[in-house]
Amino acid sequence: MTRFTRRDVLKFGAIAGGSLLLPLGLQKRSYAGNAGSPNVTRFSLPFRSAPVLNPVRSDATTDYYQIRVNKTRVNIIPGLSTEVFSYNGTVPGPTIKQRKDRQSVVRFVNDSIGTPTSTHLHGMASLPQYDGYAEDLIPPGYYKDYIYPNNRAATLWYHDHAIHRTARNVYQGLAATYIVQDDLELGLPLPKGAYDVSLMIQDVILSPNGSLVYDDDGQDSLMGDIITVNGVPWPRMEVANRKYRFRVLNGSLSRSYRLALSNGSKFTMIGTDAGLMGSPVEVANFRLGMAERYEFVIDFSKYPVGTKIVLQNLSLPNNEDYDNTGVVMRFDVVRQEPDDSSVPSTLRPYSVIPTSSAVRTREFRYERSNGLWVINGKVWDVNRIDANPQVGDVEIWRLYNNSGGWFHPIHVHLIDAQIIDRNGRAPFPYERGFKDVFYVGENESVRVIGKFGPHTGKYMSHCHNSVHEDHDMMNQFQVGTGGPDPVTAAPARSLPAPPL
Ligand code: C2O
Ligand code: CU
């Protein structure tokens, strides 16, 4: 896969001082005023999981949580202090774990970031006024209580969605994992508890003094030269020689990954964006676009204690933008443990939505035009609706990208959908599940099918390269007629807040 256009290569070559004579694979991109982030020895820092957030209180139906959105300092690199935006003081923010059909009320308090935020729980079918609509802002000094129905068992994530600020706010730290589990999933013999591990992969650039460098290459893409997992650069995770379930999320702004194990072993894909697949699929590697989530099981019992296995990123092997971005983390098998977990051959009921059930097809073209990122030639307009499916309508959306220079992971809010085909060919086996992000590669046309509802109202759809999203590759659809207005139905309120 080629990520960079000839224009980009020329530009990088020019910045690097005429290194165009070097073969492409030897070129290291540099950027204005910075020779590259401070060095970190790969696999020297211990893996950690984000903290799990406890509710402030609970009643028969609902758990109430509070999250302060604030500026704080963290050590991404030991000894260097980095100012970030955080949810409750950590990057990534705390994980919320919830049971399906119990409701969450999450209060986000914008106390010190000095810029508006909006919070989207990506993957949840929330009402419009709780969906983190880009113009439904929480200004500094305000708070908002979001209501989440938790009607899907899946690995979700919550992140900033402020209009024209999403890339910067997420880059500065506003992203976290949110897991919903149901009885069916918990009844399966899959690895659980400490053996069910979330991995949020991101990439950043740091200046020599530790501050975050935001360089989006002329509103194109932000490509970091440090890969972090749960906020730690290239961590080393000590594992027992047994099976682990991993829930991986690409929280990068612009970087796609192709994940593989350094020993070439296959592993078992069990879930997509919207939860468990129908049945497991063995793969040697898979592609992970921004905002996509996949779940997989690695069986470390095949390896003797002492084995080290690197989780690699095979994307761009011959066309790397930076050194070191071809590896993500390392698993060190350090102890023996019994293992009573297994991966059943059926995970949950799943059936393909017949294309004959679609009542219409819509087309959305994603392209760059006069420096802007546009959909069907248009930028975001809060007053324009580009599609109006009725509740219960099954529609086919053809998403296409006529460029050979870049790709777009397209996110549709509210619904879970299935990929029918990509350039007329079947989706990859590991994509055969419900999804809410659809990777539209270079010169690709992807058809997806999904049912709209259950809510009426306005919802966004956009490229999840958040640099593209901010400038301005986002539009909206209206389900049915009317519905709660996303901006006025539950506006943010000024502090102080009453008790939750
Ligand atoms: Cu993950 Cu509209 O976003
Ligand atoms: Cu894009």
Side-chain angles (χ1 to χ4, degrees):
M1 183 186 95
T2 309
R3 189 190 315 274
F4 296 113
T5 59
R6 178 162 169 75
R7 174 187 63 84
D8 290 318
V9 170
L10 285 168
K11 186 164 55 174
F12 298 164
I15 293 170
S19 61
L20 271 177
L21 294 177
L22 288 175
L24 203 50
L26 297 180
Q27 288 191 15
K28 182 175 161 78
R29 181 184 166 195
S30 58
Y31 39 89
N34 195 324
S37 296
N39 256 332
V40 189
T41 307
R42 290 177 291 158
F43 320 130
S44 63
L45 299 170
F47 174 83
R48 63 160 192 254
S49 295
V52 174
L53 187 65
N54 290 317
V56 177
R57 74 180 174 91
S58 298
D59 61 27
T61 58
T62 306
D63 298 301
Y64 299 82
Y65 299 87
Q66 169 152 303
I67 293 177
R68 298 166 69 106
V69 188
N70 53 25
K71 242 181 221 171
T72 187
R73 293 192 158 270
V74 297
N75 298 110
I76 296 172
I77 296 181
L80 268 188
S81 163
T82 302
E83 185 179 88
V84 293
F85 291 175
S86 78
Y87 291 128
N88 278 356
T90 64
V91 174
T95 300
I96 291 179
K97 288 194 176 162
Q98 193 44 290
R99 292 296 296 265
K100 183 166 179 280
D101 298 327
R102 260 193 86 71
Q103 180 173 264
S104 304
V105 173
V106 187
R107 170 172 294 174
F108 286 87
V109 179
N110 183 353
D111 61 14
S112 73
I113 60 169
T115 187
T117 183
S118 169
T119 310
H120 172 50
L121 178 52
H122 181 134
M124 185 68 73
S126 304
L127 288 168
Q129 67 271 41
Y130 303 120
D131 195 45
Y133 192 71
E135 317 253 359
D136 177 32
L137 297 167
I138 313 173
Y142 282 68
Y143 72 96
K144 172 160 173 151
D145 296 343
Y146 291 78
I147 300 175
Y148 299 130
N150 300 313
N151 45 12
R152 291 173 181 153
T155 306
L156 318 182
W157 61 308
Y158 58 98
H159 62 77
D160 178 88
H161 216 305
I163 184 77
H164 297 151
R165 296 288 310 173
T166 297
R168 282 169 190 275
N169 288 352
V170 170
Y171 185 67
Q172 288 182 94
L174 297 185
T177 301
Y178 188 112
I179 293 171
V180 182
Q181 295 191 289
D182 63 3
D183 292 340
L184 189 154
E185 179 194 342
L186 289 165
L188 295 176
L190 293 167
K192 291 184 177 62
Y195 309 104
D196 175 350
V197 178
S198 296
L199 311 175
M200 185 188 295
I201 306 180
Q202 297 177 299
D203 57 337
V204 295
I205 307 167
L206 293 178
S207 74
N209 70 13
S211 59
L212 282 166
V213 175
Y214 184 87
D215 174 4
D216 66 6
D217 188 28
Q219 303 184 347
D220 183 329
S221 288
L222 188 145
M223 303 297 280
D225 60 352
I226 295 177
I227 307 292
T228 63
V229 180
N230 299 342
V232 179
W234 300 289
R236 169 177 47 89
M237 180 183 180
E238 298 192 339
V239 296
N241 66 340
R242 52 157 291 153
K243 287 184 277 307
Y244 283 72
R245 170 182 185 170
F246 293 99
R247 302 166 183 261
V248 67
L249 153 67
N250 181 349
S252 288
L253 300 192
S254 308
R255 183 183 288 283
S256 167
Y257 302 83
R258 180 173 289 280
L259 299 178
L261 299 176
S262 54
N263 60 9
S265 268
K266 291 194 171 179
F267 46 97
T268 310
M269 305 296 284
I270 59 168
T272 54
D273 303 332
L276 293 174
M277 302 161 62
S279 45
V281 178
E282 297 285 307
V283 301
N285 61 68
F286 69 97
R287 184 171 67 182
L288 179 68
M290 294 82 81
E292 285 190 295
R293 289 90 68 209
Y294 284 105
E295 302 187 27
F296 55 94
V297 172
I298 301 179
D299 186 356
F300 295 106
S301 71
K302 297 182 262 185
Y303 312 114
V305 168
T307 306
K308 297 171 173 35
I309 302 161
V310 173
L311 182 64
Q312 294 181 311
N313 169 25
L314 302 183
S315 211
L316 295 182
N318 301 312
N319 190 11
E320 189 48 88
D321 49 332
Y322 290 118
D323 298 339
N324 292 336
T325 51
V327 292
V328 175
M329 63 181 290
R330 195 175 75 194
F331 303 107
D332 291 4
V333 183
V334 297
R335 61 181 185 274
Q336 301 217 307
E337 261 180 37
D339 185 2
D340 58 2
S341 70
S342 60
V343 180
S345 56
T346 300
L347 295 164
R348 74 171 178 183
Y350 176 77
S351 50
V352 169
I353 305 172
T355 51
S356 58
S357 63
V359 296
R360 66 186 70 80
T361 296
R362 301 181 197 271
E363 305 214 336
F364 296 98
R365 186 177 72 252
Y366 297 83
E367 64 191 352
R368 193 167 206 187
S369 162
N370 296 322
L372 290 167
W373 299 99
V374 296
I375 306 174
N376 290 347
K378 295 174 184 145
V379 295
W380 168 254
D381 178 349
V382 66
N383 295 312
R384 195 187 73 243
I385 304 286
D386 285 348
N388 180 210
Q390 298 307 298
V391 173
D393 280 1
V394 173
E395 295 196 347
I396 294 171
W397 284 17
R398 186 167 88 84
L399 316 171
Y400 66 105
N401 172 12
N402 290 339
S403 164
W406 42 71
F407 66 99
H408 305 291
I410 303 304
H411 174 39
V412 182
H413 283 225
L414 181 66
I415 67 164
D416 290 332
Q418 299 174 354
I419 299 178
I420 302 169
D421 52 20
R422 180 178 275 114
N423 285 355
R425 289 188 298 276
F428 302 115
Y430 59 81
E431 292 179 310
R432 292 182 191 146
F434 278 99
K435 291 183 56 57
D436 54 45
V437 179
F438 311 99
Y439 193 113
V440 184
E442 297 155 28
N443 298 304
E444 281 187 348
S445 164
V446 178
R447 289 196 306 158
V448 308
I449 185 167
K451 184 194 265 187
F452 286 81
H455 309 309
T456 56
K458 290 186 198 117
Y459 289 92
M460 302 174 288
S461 176
H462 57 90
C463 176
H464 222 296
N465 178 332
S466 21
V467 176
H468 299 184
E469 171 187 348
D470 280 349
H471 306 286
D472 229 10
M473 195 174 258
M474 181 160 80
N475 64 1
Q476 62 186 332
F477 56 96
Q478 158 82 42
V479 182
T481 44
D485 183 85
V487 178
T488 58
R493 297 182 187 284
S494 68
L495 292 168
L500 251 179

